[in-house]
Amino acid sequence: MTFLLLKTLPRALATACVVWAGASAIAPATAQELAPVLPPTDTVVQVLAQLPQVRAASAGIPLAQARSQRLQAGPHDWVAKVATNRRSDTQGGRFSETEIGLETGMRWPAKVKADQRLGSAEVSVGRGIHADAWHEAARSLLTDWFDALRDARNTALLQEQAQLATRQLATTQRRVQAGEAAPLELLAAQAEEARIQALAARARAQAHLRQQTLQRQYPGLPDPAGALSAAATPWPDQDAADLPVAHWAQLILADNHELELAQARAEQAQLQAQRAQLEQRGDPTLGVRATRERSGQEKVWGVYVSIPLGGAGRKADFEAALAQAEVALQEQEQVRQRVEIQAWRTASEAEQARTTRQQMQRALARIQQSAALQARAYELGESPLADLLLARRNALEAQLAADTASLDAMQAHAKVLLDAHRLWSIPGTAGH
């Protein structure tokens, strides 16, 4: 089984070297620039620690430790024997006889060391399951949080637009009453105001539902709308140097819970195969016994050793364990490929989201400038109300798209930090 352990060593060393070079090439990034729109770290840690899936995985650690202790203790117990007999001979004599004994199995030294390694592997798997459950819960929380932020931001923008539409309706009413505008413009203003109010009401309902769902799923999280109120908009852009795709992908791969868990399970399966190979030679049983025969006329003391002879069953167990180790190794390779793709995709999406945000911001600036000029033209009587309403509608859509792109970029940035364990790590780890 040694070749199975050595098979992954060159790749691990190469990855470590690349990660070290990448880590030294960039300054450690923090979540400081994302802090205004993220919930407090201490609150998130408390919320994650109370999630059922995280608590279940956490309970698996003492279970793994107990299994490790059981492996170190060994499979053999001390067995006490007591027997009583009645002897009769042909001469009519009758005698009472008793026998007592004590025996236990003795593991070979190689098996003791193998069980110790298996116990350590069991604990590693338990901790890996907990770490992976924590990370997956944190990723789900991050996604749900930014979904709620988008709804809250859309609600705020539509509410502002509804207030603007209401003011525009009042202005149009005064102009119609003064004879400066046609009644048709009043109908257009009323229709636009009703449309915006309907959109705002629907956005409020959706944001409220999202917020209620978030509170029920993650009790203790603050209101996302409050986070947006505390953050100044437009939000600051992340520095492009903070998101180099190659370096971030390697940093994500260097400390990935899913990959580490797959590696721990593969190592555990390899150790189990080694243990099954050793089990082909059975453990001896050592015992002592004392008998009292013919009503005490004869007393016998003895020591005995028994050794089971291995057969086809033990060999089949070893072959099955060997096949299971190969399955675990291939599953590890499958996880490695998937994690590598996800790491590069996560880092690439962050870079693409940042670029999209910049493009949307430039488009928004031009559309807002056009809407401002259109409003000025309407005030001067050089443009009809329909053109102004259309320009404001375009500006609203551009604002919604730009803010969505900004939140997408911040979510992608936060996801990179989270996958690289620089955000919301398990308490007590380096990234916390």
Side-chain angles (χ1 to χ4, degrees):
M1 294 307 297
T2 305
F3 74 96
L4 293 174
L5 293 171
L6 295 177
K7 188 175 180 180
T8 58
L9 184 59
R11 181 182 294 116
L13 290 176
T15 300
C17 293
V18 173
V19 170
W20 179 84
S24 61
I26 61 174
T30 65
Q32 188 65 32
E33 58 189 352
L34 294 174
V37 296
L38 291 178
T41 298
D42 293 341
T43 301
V44 172
V45 170
Q46 293 176 3
V47 170
L48 291 176
Q50 297 302 316
L51 293 179
Q53 62 270 35
V54 176
R55 295 180 66 180
S58 177
I61 295 179
L63 174 61
Q65 293 172 340
R67 289 175 175 173
S68 175
Q69 294 173 359
R70 184 66 182 89
L71 285 169
Q72 295 179 12
H76 304 298
D77 294 323
W78 284 95
V79 180
K81 295 181 178 181
V82 178
T84 179
N85 303 317
R86 295 288 294 176
R87 184 191 297 269
S88 299
D89 57 23
T90 58
Q91 299 177 357
R94 295 183 178 183
F95 308 96
S96 61
E97 299 179 346
T98 57
E99 178 181 355
I100 60 173
L102 188 65
E103 67 179 26
T104 185
M106 305 292 291
R107 280 181 297 172
W108 298 106
K111 291 184 180 182
V112 175
K113 294 180 180 179
D115 286 339
Q116 291 175 349
R117 291 193 296 268
L118 265 176
S120 299
E122 188 78 35
V123 175
S124 297
V125 170
R127 289 173 177 169
I129 292 174
H130 176 236
D132 187 57
W134 179 283
H135 184 68
E136 290 302 319
R139 294 183 71 175
S140 297
L141 188 151
L142 183 68
T143 299
D144 295 338
W145 175 261
F146 272 94
D147 287 343
L149 284 181
R150 292 184 188 90
D151 288 345
R153 182 57 181 167
N154 290 347
T155 299
L157 287 176
L158 287 170
Q159 188 64 34
E160 294 175 1
Q161 192 70 15
Q163 295 173 357
L164 179 62
T166 300
R167 292 195 298 269
Q168 181 62 54
L169 176 59
T171 300
T172 305
Q173 287 176 339
R174 290 194 298 270
R175 295 189 63 178
V176 170
Q177 291 174 357
E180 298 176 357
L184 186 61
E185 289 191 353
L186 179 59
L187 292 176
Q190 290 173 342
E192 182 66 12
E193 195 267 347
R195 186 186 72 84
I196 295 297
Q197 290 290 353
L199 291 176
R202 185 179 65 178
R204 284 195 301 271
Q206 183 174 350
H208 180 72
L209 178 61
R210 183 86 69 177
Q211 194 270 340
Q212 292 296 319
T213 302
L214 194 70
Q215 287 296 323
R216 283 172 170 77
Q217 189 170 1
Y218 307 103
L221 278 186
D223 186 358
L228 286 179
S229 300
T233 53
W235 299 290
D237 193 9
Q238 290 84 41
D239 187 2
D242 288 341
L243 294 173
V245 174
H247 292 310
W248 276 117
Q250 292 297 336
L251 287 175
I252 292 173
L253 288 173
D255 191 11
N256 185 277
H257 290 313
E258 188 177 2
L259 182 57
E260 291 171 357
L261 177 58
Q263 292 172 344
R265 284 174 169 165
E267 180 182 356
Q268 182 185 38
Q270 293 164 9
L271 292 173
Q272 287 172 342
Q274 292 177 351
R275 184 62 173 83
Q277 184 180 22
L278 295 173
E279 195 61 28
Q280 291 185 98
R281 183 174 66 168
D283 292 333
T285 299
L286 176 64
V288 294
R289 65 182 179 179
T291 59
R292 182 178 180 274
E293 299 182 355
R294 301 181 66 84
S295 298
Q297 296 178 21
E298 298 179 5
K299 297 181 180 179
V300 180
W301 297 85
V303 178
Y304 62 90
V305 177
S306 62
I307 300 178
L309 302 178
R314 292 177 181 266
K315 183 178 180 181
D317 288 341
F318 167 61
E319 292 177 350
L322 192 65
Q324 186 61 42
E326 181 63 24
V327 170
L329 190 63
Q330 296 305 320
E331 289 178 347
Q332 175 191 345
E333 182 66 17
Q334 181 182 3
V335 170
R336 184 192 63 80
Q337 292 179 356
R338 185 176 69 252
V339 167
E340 283 184 354
I341 294 173
Q342 291 177 348
W344 282 94
R345 181 175 180 177
T346 298
S348 299
E349 285 177 348
E351 179 65 20
Q352 293 172 2
R354 186 189 63 83
T355 303
T356 300
R357 174 185 181 175
Q358 294 174 345
Q359 294 172 345
M360 295 301 296
Q361 290 292 342
R362 288 194 294 267
L364 174 62
R366 295 189 181 98
I367 293 175
Q368 286 180 335
Q369 184 180 8
S370 175
L373 293 175
Q374 193 67 45
R376 181 59 177 168
Y378 175 74
E379 292 175 359
L380 298 176
E382 299 175 355
S383 178
L385 178 62
D387 291 347
L388 174 60
L389 296 179
L390 178 60
R392 285 180 175 173
R393 185 179 302 178
N394 292 337
L396 174 61
E397 293 175 354
Q399 184 68 65
L400 291 172
D403 284 358
T404 298
S406 294
L407 289 171
D408 289 345
M410 285 186 284
Q411 180 179 356
H413 187 190
K415 186 178 180 181
V416 168
L417 295 175
L418 183 63
D419 287 351
H421 297 165
R422 296 168 184 262
L423 177 68
W424 300 346
S425 299
I426 301 178
T429 60
H432 178 63

